[in-house]
């Protein structure tokens, strides 16, 4: 029997056959399945991202899983509690009553004015000072919708419940000075006088000239520039930004020493006592304390402080602003502009002083005597 005839196959035909075989054997994902898979991945990523930006719930003092209540507290109209500490003479015998408002990442124990004011001046002038835990700090309940106005009303209610009289003084340091603008705006009728110590300025106040605020803004470290951008433009990302590990976040909250001036470095030993109560500051959670501070302080305000009118046109009281010309956290140029726009505020610029100048020996004696006497 004759065998099958020999067939010659060209190289081109062989290659074509091989390509066809490979094409037939390749796996094709149906279009519908591809879009479904992509949608599932997108939903999964969105769920992960949503969880990542959600802060954990605060641990309320006095709740079953929260810290114990140790401080003196008042109950506010809305049911929240506000913690406070009292210093100096008893309020019933004191001539002057002062409410002290602390800065960021601090609490009622950081009442630098009360701690450094000389006992002689405290007694001779007759001074009573009450320092508070701002909402979310220490043992004061968080306020999820906190605003500048809500804090001002908290201070007014505290004064009423403690019986501080129709008028009282207020002193705020750093971010507490930032909060004092709300007090000047919303309860001016309750004030006998006010002192803002190195108040943090909001770079987005509409009255700041754009060139001035931009220049001051870029004097910060790049990581702080980004932190404040997030707080202002995307407050819902504030918790994630300050808790993620990919990029450096706030240098203030991480206590980086590069942001301190020469005088600030010299004053650091005076702050060692904070170790005794540092754990209490953020004990209810970082979001409702330090992160909420950033959102409120650097968000879009409901008023412009540069529109405030003279609180004491008849000289019955006074408002003072103290700032160091070597402050590396809050540029002094912004305070100079505020002093120009609001000439009824008595401006005191301290040569060689940094942000922590209230801790320097004798400075709080001068601040309190100036405030209570109404001197310029």
């Amino acid at each position: 029997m004759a065998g099958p005839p020999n067939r010659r196959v060209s190289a081109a035909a062989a290659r074509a056959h091989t390509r066809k075989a490979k094409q037939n054997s390749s796996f094709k994902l149906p279009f519908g399945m591809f879009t479904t898979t992509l949608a599932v991945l997108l939903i999964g990523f969105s769920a992960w991202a949503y969880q990542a930006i959600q802060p954990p719930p605060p641990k309320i003092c006095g709740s079953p899983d929260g810290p114990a209540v140790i401080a003196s507290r008042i109950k506010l109209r809305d049911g929240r509690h506000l913690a406070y500490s009292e210093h100096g003479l008893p309020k019933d015998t004191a001539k002057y009553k002062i409410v002290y408002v602390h800065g960021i990442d601090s609490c009622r124990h950081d009442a630098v004015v009360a701690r450094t004011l000389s006992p002689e001046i405290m007694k001779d002038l007759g001074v009573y000072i009450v320092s508070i835990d701002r909402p979310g700090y220490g043992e004061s309940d968080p306020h999820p919708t906190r605003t500048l106005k809500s804090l001002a009303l908290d201070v007014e209610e505290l004064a009423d419940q403690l019986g501080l009289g129709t008028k009282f003084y207020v002193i705020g340091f750093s971010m507490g000075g930032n909060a004092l603008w709300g007090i000047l705006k919303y309860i001016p009728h309750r004030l006998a006088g006010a002192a803002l110590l190195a108040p943090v300025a909001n770079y987005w106040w509409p009255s700041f000239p754009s060139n001035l605020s931009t220049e001051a803004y870029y004097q910060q470290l790049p990581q702080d520039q980004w932190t404040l951008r997030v707080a202002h433009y995307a407050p819902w990302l504030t918790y994630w930004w300050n808790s993620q590990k990919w990029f450096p976040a706030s240098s203030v909250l991480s206590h980086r020493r590069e942001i301190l001036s020469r005088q600030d470095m010299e004053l650091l030993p005076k702050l060692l006592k904070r170790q005794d109560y540092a754990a209490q500051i953020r004990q209810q959670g970082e979001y409702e304390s330090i992160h909420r501070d950033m959102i409120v302080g650097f968000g879009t305000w409901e008023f412009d402080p540069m529109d405030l009118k003279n609180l004491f046109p008849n000289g019955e009281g006074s408002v003072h602003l103290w700032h160091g010309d070597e402050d590396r956290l809050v540029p002094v140029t912004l305070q100079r502009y505020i002093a120009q726009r609001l000439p009824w505020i008595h401006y005191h610029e301290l040569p060689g002083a940094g942000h922590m100048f209230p801790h320097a020996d004798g400075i709080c004696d001068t601040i309190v005597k100036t405030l209570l006497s109404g001197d310029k």
Side-chain angles (χ1 to χ4, degrees):
M1 180 180 295
N6 293 330
R7 293 181 180 180
R8 294 182 178 179
V9 180
S10 67
R15 287 194 297 269
H17 178 76
T18 303
R19 284 197 300 269
K20 185 175 180 180
K22 288 182 177 180
Q23 289 173 357
N24 292 337
S25 63
S26 63
F27 174 75
K28 288 185 178 180
L29 184 67
F31 181 74
M33 184 177 296
F34 174 78
T35 55
T36 301
T37 302
L38 184 62
V40 169
L41 291 174
L42 182 61
I43 292 172
F45 175 79
S46 299
W48 170 85
Y50 177 79
Q51 291 296 326
I53 66 176
Q54 296 303 306
K59 296 182 178 180
I60 309 297
C61 285
S63 65
D65 62 340
V69 175
I70 301 174
S72 299
R73 306 199 303 178
I74 62 167
K75 189 172 184 178
L76 300 167
R77 297 186 191 94
D78 61 6
R80 290 180 297 113
H81 293 87
L82 193 73
Y84 65 92
S85 292
E86 297 175 290
H87 317 265
L89 273 64
K91 60 178 179 287
D92 296 333
T93 60
K95 181 180 179 181
Y96 300 104
K97 284 88 171 179
I98 300 173
V99 178
Y100 178 81
V101 185
H102 66 78
I104 195 169
D105 208 10
S106 304
C107 68
R108 68 188 185 279
H109 299 306
D110 289 298
V112 59
V113 172
R115 289 181 174 273
T116 63
L117 189 64
S118 67
E120 295 77 18
I121 291 179
M122 190 90 76
K123 181 178 179 180
D124 293 345
L125 293 181
V127 178
Y128 162 87
I129 300 175
V130 56
S131 57
I132 63 172
D133 282 337
R134 289 193 286 115
Y137 283 102
E139 296 183 38
S140 286
D141 292 342
H143 193 329
T145 58
R146 171 155 61 103
T147 63
L148 293 163
K149 184 175 183 178
S150 69
L151 179 63
L153 298 180
D154 286 352
V155 169
E156 183 178 32
E157 191 169 351
L158 172 83
D160 289 339
Q161 291 202 34
L162 294 185
L164 303 188
T166 57
K167 289 184 178 292
F168 51 90
Y169 295 84
V170 289
I171 299 177
F173 173 39
S174 191
M175 194 63 93
N178 175 292
L180 245 62
W181 291 111
I183 293 174
L184 297 178
K185 167 68 176 179
Y186 294 111
I187 58 169
H189 57 288
R190 300 301 304 273
L191 302 181
L196 298 89
L197 314 182
V200 173
N202 185 325
Y203 297 94
W204 290 273
W205 287 351
S207 289
F208 278 149
S210 59
N211 62 329
L212 180 67
S213 58
T214 300
E215 176 188 350
Y217 183 81
Y218 283 104
Q219 290 178 22
Q220 304 176 99
L221 294 176
Q223 64 190 81
D224 294 320
Q225 297 172 27
W226 279 104
T227 298
L228 299 193
R229 283 192 190 101
V230 170
H232 182 79
Y233 294 109
W236 46 276
L237 276 178
T238 300
Y239 169 75
W240 174 81
W241 182 263
N242 287 286
S243 58
Q244 52 79 32
K245 305 301 182 184
W246 298 343
F247 313 105
S250 170
S251 64
V252 176
L253 301 184
S254 59
H255 306 141
R256 288 186 59 177
R257 296 195 175 192
E258 296 94 314
I259 59 176
L260 300 179
S261 71
R262 176 189 55 79
Q263 187 200 56
D264 290 337
M265 293 294 293
E266 295 173 352
L267 292 173
L268 280 182
K270 292 180 177 290
L271 304 180
L272 293 177
K273 295 179 181 179
R274 299 186 80 244
Q275 298 176 358
D276 297 337
Y277 55 83
Q280 300 178 31
I281 295 173
R282 307 182 188 183
Q283 65 182 353
Q284 297 186 89
E286 295 188 352
Y287 183 72
E288 290 298 343
S289 53
I290 55 178
H291 299 163
R292 181 73 64 185
D293 248 7
M294 290 185 172
I295 294 172
V296 175
F298 297 104
T300 300
W301 286 20
E302 58 268 29
F303 70 97
D304 186 346
M306 299 301 98
D307 293 334
L308 293 177
K309 305 301 180 183
N310 189 350
L311 272 63
F312 306 106
N314 300 318
E316 66 274 27
S318 59
V319 179
H320 299 259
L321 195 161
W322 300 75
H323 207 84
D325 69 352
E326 293 187 9
D327 191 328
R328 298 179 63 182
L329 277 76
V330 184
V332 69
T333 52
L334 297 180
Q335 311 298 2
R336 291 170 180 166
Y337 181 80
I338 292 171
Q340 292 174 2
R341 284 290 303 268
L342 303 177
W344 49 270
I345 293 181
H346 304 302
Y347 179 57
H348 312 268
E349 189 169 302
L350 305 175
H355 193 71
M356 308 303 295
F357 72 82
H359 293 274
D361 294 339
I363 187 63
C364 284
D365 288 357
T366 301
I367 290 170
V368 170
K369 286 192 295 184
T370 303
L371 174 63
L372 300 184
S373 67
D375 293 341
K376 296 182 181 181

